Amino acid sequence: MLSCRDLSHHAGDYVEKQLTFKQRLGYGLHLLLCGHCRQFLRHFRSTLAYTKALQSSQQISDAEAADITQKVLEQAKK
């Protein structure tokens, strides 16, 4: 079974769906049993979404940045 450390080290591969079927199964089992890693993965996905949103716009206003931040925080609470 995967450890929390293993899960965190390969979270990018998991989110980008670059794992084998067996690896995804291991991740799924671990996430089923570990609330801390589920929360970590939610935050990880939110962080990725936030950075992609910032990269897609060259110049954004403070209001737009605040709006993106608010959306990310709302997503992390789910």
Side-chain angles (χ1 to χ4, degrees):
M1 176 142 149
L2 286 175
S3 68
C4 295
R5 179 177 288 179
D6 292 334
L7 189 131
S8 67
H9 282 225
H10 300 286
D13 294 334
Y14 178 75
V15 169
E16 298 294 328
K17 298 181 175 140
Q18 296 179 346
L19 299 176
T20 65
F21 176 75
K22 185 177 177 181
Q23 290 171 320
R24 285 193 320 262
L25 219 56
Y27 263 72
L29 179 60
H30 185 92
L31 290 170
L32 185 66
L33 301 173
C34 184
H36 295 291
C37 284
R38 285 192 303 271
Q39 182 177 8
F40 166 78
L41 202 54
R42 277 194 304 274
H43 288 221
F44 185 79
R45 284 183 171 137
S46 295
T47 301
L48 285 177
Y50 181 70
T51 56
K52 285 179 183 179
L54 288 177
Q55 289 174 351
S56 68
S57 27
Q58 297 296 326
Q59 294 280 333
I60 61 172
S61 68
D62 290 339
E64 289 172 318
D67 185 46
I68 292 170
T69 303
Q70 183 62 34
K71 287 178 184 176
V72 168
L73 292 173
E74 288 171 3
Q75 282 255 314
K77 290 179 184 178
K78 293 181 181 179

